C-alpha cells in the first residue's frame, strides 16, 4: 500500500486569491480524499482550487492508495476511529452499503441536483432512504485494441472471447517472430483485489453465467457457464497474457499496453485519454469496443464501476463539505473531467455535449453499455460486500494460477453460502 499523506494546498482565499467571492460564514478548512490513478490527483486539485476561489474556504487534499481494496481498508480503519481527518471521501460505487453508517445524508444539502444524474446511481447511493453519496464519475469495463495491428494482420475487433483469444495468439506469435519478443496478446487486471472481481464478473456474465449472487440473494456462481468462462481465462495466463498479469492492477496493464507490448487490454475509460496522450507510443493506434461476448450465445458484459463523493459523519463542517460535493459533482465540473481525461459523466445530458463527444468519440457508443452495465452484488450484500468480493477474487485468482475451475468454484459456493447464512441477506 502506498503510504498516504496529507498535502496542504495553496491557501487561495485567505491570501486574497478569491477575487470578490465573499463567504457567507467564516472560511473553514476541510479535507477531501482523492484517488491518484493516472491524472486523477491533478484533476481533483484543479477542481478543488475552483471551489476554494468560489467560496473562500480551504481544502486539504489527502491522497489515498490506488487500489480500491487498499483504500477501503484505510477508510474503515480511519472511520472506525471516528476521526475528523476526512470531511469528503471519494468512495467506490460498491461501498455505499459498507460505509453508510459513517456517512451523512446529503439530501438536505443538494436540492434537485440528484435528479440530473443516472437514476440507477442515485438508487445505488440511497441506503435506508438516506442519500449517502453523490455520483462523481461512472465506469464500465471496455476492450482496448491495437487498430494498426489488427488491420495489418487482417482482423476485425473480436466479437467473442474465443475470437479474442485466437487473434491475440496469432498477432503475438507473428510479432514475436518479427523480433518484438516482449509482445503479449492480452493484459487485464489479474491481481487478487477488487479489480479482479470486476474482470471475472465480466467473463462470467458474458457467458450468461450470472453475477455471482442474484437479486434475491441466492448464490448462483456454481454453474457450467461460469466454470467455462473462468477456465478460458485460466488458459490465457502464460500463453497470451504474461504470468505477471496475476499481479496487475489497472495501471500495470495500462503500462504494458501503452508501451506497445500488448494487442488487447481490458481497462476502464480513463485509459483512453492517456493512451491518446502526446507522449503515448500508441497514440492514434488504439480502438475501443465493448468487451467480447462469451461465445455466439453470450452477451457483451462490462462491469459497472465508478467513484462517488460522500461526507463523513465525523466532519466538523458538514455544510461546507456537502457544498464541495455539490460543486465537484455538478455538470460543468463533470464536463471538464470528461473532456480532459475521459472520465464518464454521471449526468446523462453530458453524453449529448459536442465537446465531450469530440474528446471521446466512443462515449456515444458507450452510453448503452453504461446503462446495461453489470452491477456487482453490492446492494444485496450491503455491508458484507467486501467479504463476498474477496472470497470471489481469491477463488478466481486460484483458477488463474492453475487450479481447475470446477472444484474451486464449488468451494467458493460453499464459502458464499456460509457468508449468506451469517449475514442473513
Ligand atoms: C475502478 C472502478 C471501481 C472498481 C475499481 C476496481 O476504479 O471505477 O468501481 O472497484 O476500478 O479496481
Amino acid at each position: 500500500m502506498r503510504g498516504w499523506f496529507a498535502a496542504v494546498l495553496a491557501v487561495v482565499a485567505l491570501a486574497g486569491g478569491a477575487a470578490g467571492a465573499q463567504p457567507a460564514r467564516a472560511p473553514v478548512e476541510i479535507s477531501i480524499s482523492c484517488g491518484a490513478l493516472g491524472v486523477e490527483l491533478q484533476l481533483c486539485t484543479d477542481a478543488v482550487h475552483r471551489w476554494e476561489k468560489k467560496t473562500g474556504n480551504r481544502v486539504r487534499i489527502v491522497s489515498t492508495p490506488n487500489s480500491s481494496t487498499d483504500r477501503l481498508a484505510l477508510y474503515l480503519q480511519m472511520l472506525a476511529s471516528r476521526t475528523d481527518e476526512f470531511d469528503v471521501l471519494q468512495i467506490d460505487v460498491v461501498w455505499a452499503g459498507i460505509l453508510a453508517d459513517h456517512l451523512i445524508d446529503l439530501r438536505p444539502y443538494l436540492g434537485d441536483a440528484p435528479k440530473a444524474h443516472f437514476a440507477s446511481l442515485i438508487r445505488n447511493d440511497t441506503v435506508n432512504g438516506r442519500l449517502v453519496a453523490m455520483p462523481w464519475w461512472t465506469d464500465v469495463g471496455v476492450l482496448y485494441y491495437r487498430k494498426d495491428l489488427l488491420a495489418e494482420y487482417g482482423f476485425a475487433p473480436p466479437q467473442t472471447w474465443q475470437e479474442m483469444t485466437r487473434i491475440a495468439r496469432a498477432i503475438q506469435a507473428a510479432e514475436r517472430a518479427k523480433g518484438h519478443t516482449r509482445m503479449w496478446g492480452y493484459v487485464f487486471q489479474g491481481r487478487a483485489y477488487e479489480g479482479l472481481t470486476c474482470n471475472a464478473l465480466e467473463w462470467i456474465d458474458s457467458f450468461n453465467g450470472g453475477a455471482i449472487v442474484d437479486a434475491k440473494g441466492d448464490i448462483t456462481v456454481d454453474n457450467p457457464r461460469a466454470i467455462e468462462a473462468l477456465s478460458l481465462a485460466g488458459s490465457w495466463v502464460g500463453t497470451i497474457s504474461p504470468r505477471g498479469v496475476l499481479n496487475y492492477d489497472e495501471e500495470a496493464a495500462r503500462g504494458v499496453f501503452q508501451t506497445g507490448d500488448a494487442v488487447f487490454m481490458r481497462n476502464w475509460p480513463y485509459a483512453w485519454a492517456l493512451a491518446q496522450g502526446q507522449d503515448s507510443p500508441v497514440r492514434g493506434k488504439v480502438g475501443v469496443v465493448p468487451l467480447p461476448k462469451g461465445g455466439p450465445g453470450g452477451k457483451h458484459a462490462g462491469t459497472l464501476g465508478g467513484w462517488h463523493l460522500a461526507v463523513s459523519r465525523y466532519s466538523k463542517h458538514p455544510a461546507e463539505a456537502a457544498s464541495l460535493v455539490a460543486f465537484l459533482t455538478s455538470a460543468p465540473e463533470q464536463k471538464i473531467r470528461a473532456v480532459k481525461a475521459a472520465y464518464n459523466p454521471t449526468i446523462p445530458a453530458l453524453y449529448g455535449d459536442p465537446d465531450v463527444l469530440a474528446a471521446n468519440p466512443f462515449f456515444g457508443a458507450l452510453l448503452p453499455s453504461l446503462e446495461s452495465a453489470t452491477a456487482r452484488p453490492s446492494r444485496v450484500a450491503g455491508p458484507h460486500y467486501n467479504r463476498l468480493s474477496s472470497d470471489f477474487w481469491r477463488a478466481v485468482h486460484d483458477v488463474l494460477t492453475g487450479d481447475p475451475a470446477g472444484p474451486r468454484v464449488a468451494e467458493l459456493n460453499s464459502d458464499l453460502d456460509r457468508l449468506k447464512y451469517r449475514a442473513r441477506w
Side-chain angles (χ1 to χ4, degrees):
M1 184 193 292
R2 269 180 49 149
W4 67 277
F5 60 94
V8 180
L9 291 175
V11 179
V12 178
L14 292 182
Q22 289 306 318
R25 355 193 320 173
V28 298
E29 181 181 283
I30 58 173
S31 67
I32 180 172
S33 76
C34 290
L37 201 106
V39 292
E40 261 183 73
L41 193 57
Q42 190 57 49
L43 287 171
C44 179
T45 306
D46 294 348
V48 155
H49 278 320
R50 288 190 284 276
W51 183 78
E52 287 179 323
K53 276 220 165 79
K54 191 173 160 212
T55 64
N57 294 308
R58 291 175 293 164
V59 182
R60 194 162 48 86
I61 296 198
V62 183
S63 103
T64 53
N66 270 350
S67 152
S68 170
T69 302
D70 293 344
R71 202 178 292 170
L72 178 60
L74 170 68
Y75 282 179
L76 286 171
Q77 197 186 336
M78 302 290 290
L79 292 168
S81 72
R82 301 177 164 244
T83 176
D84 61 357
E85 183 72 31
F86 296 132
D87 295 287
V88 177
L89 296 111
Q90 177 183 321
I91 74 166
D92 199 326
V93 60
V94 285
W95 298 347
I98 300 176
L99 298 180
D101 288 350
H102 298 289
L103 306 174
I104 69 164
D105 182 3
L106 291 168
R107 231 171 249 285
Y109 298 99
L110 294 180
D112 276 348
K115 289 202 180 117
H117 294 251
F118 287 114
S120 55
L121 296 181
I122 298 296
R123 263 199 307 281
N124 176 84
D125 289 343
T126 306
V127 180
N128 298 327
R130 299 164 62 239
L131 182 68
V132 299
M134 269 294 274
W136 197 11
W137 78 87
T138 185
D139 258 342
V140 62
V142 286
L143 185 73
Y144 290 82
Y145 67 97
R146 285 286 299 280
K147 260 193 328 206
D148 56 330
L149 292 177
L150 263 66
E152 182 181 336
Y153 292 98
F155 293 110
Q159 281 298 315
T160 64
W161 286 112
Q162 294 84 344
E163 227 181 287
M164 191 283 293
T165 309
R166 278 194 299 276
I167 301 173
R169 202 185 296 130
I171 298 183
Q172 176 182 306
E175 284 290 300
R176 286 186 180 191
K178 276 194 200 163
H180 187 172
T181 50
R182 284 200 315 267
M183 189 57 153
W184 288 99
Y186 183 48
V187 290
F188 60 95
Q189 294 76 47
R191 177 176 154 188
Y193 80 124
E194 186 61 26
L196 180 54
T197 290
C198 298
N199 282 246
L201 179 60
E202 286 158 351
W203 307 329
I204 293 178
D205 194 35
S206 77
F207 275 76
N208 294 320
I212 315 169
V213 176
D214 68 15
K216 296 200 306 285
D218 291 333
I219 316 293
T220 59
V221 72
D222 191 2
N223 70 73
R225 286 176 301 277
I227 292 166
E228 194 186 345
L230 294 179
S231 303
L232 177 63
S235 78
W236 295 332
V237 180
T239 58
I240 58 168
S241 309
R243 286 203 70 77
V245 82
L246 295 168
N247 204 25
Y248 279 9
D249 60 8
E250 285 80 2
E251 285 292 84
R254 185 174 69 82
V256 175
F257 184 78
Q258 201 165 310
T259 314
D261 291 338
V263 184
F264 294 108
M265 166 175 74
R266 184 272 179 207
N267 217 320
W268 307 100
Y270 86 98
W272 167 257
L274 298 163
Q276 288 298 94
Q278 289 296 341
D279 55 351
S280 164
V282 296
R283 181 180 164 85
K285 300 177 178 169
V286 177
V288 186
V289 285
L291 288 163
K293 299 179 188 180
K299 62 181 182 200
H300 297 292
T303 295
L304 175 73
W307 291 84
H308 299 197
L309 291 174
V311 173
S312 162
R313 162 164 286 177
Y314 317 113
S315 166
K316 293 207 171 74
H317 306 290
E320 287 80 3
S323 148
L324 177 57
V325 169
F327 178 83
L328 293 176
T329 56
S330 68
E333 287 297 318
Q334 292 210 2
K335 177 169 171 176
I336 294 173
R337 294 180 72 89
V339 170
K340 282 203 177 150
Y343 283 89
N344 278 268
T346 61
I347 298 177
L350 287 174
Y351 289 81
D353 184 292
D355 301 330
V356 170
L357 292 175
N360 307 284
F362 66 102
F363 267 24
L366 209 61
L367 191 56
S369 317
L370 282 170
E371 282 165 342
S372 62
T374 308
R376 284 164 275 175
S378 56
R379 283 271 324 158
V380 73
H384 305 279
Y385 171 73
N386 193 45
R387 183 57 207 277
L388 182 159
S389 183
S390 57
D391 281 352
F392 178 66
W393 82 56
R394 261 197 292 274
V396 175
H397 199 262
D398 286 347
V399 173
L400 295 182
T401 53
D403 279 13
R408 189 61 185 87
V409 166
E411 191 185 325
L412 168 67
N413 200 81
S414 327
D415 292 345
L416 295 181
D417 264 337
R418 271 196 299 277
L419 176 63
K420 172 182 154 92
Y421 179 75
R422 277 204 314 274
R424 300 192 192 160
W425 71 56

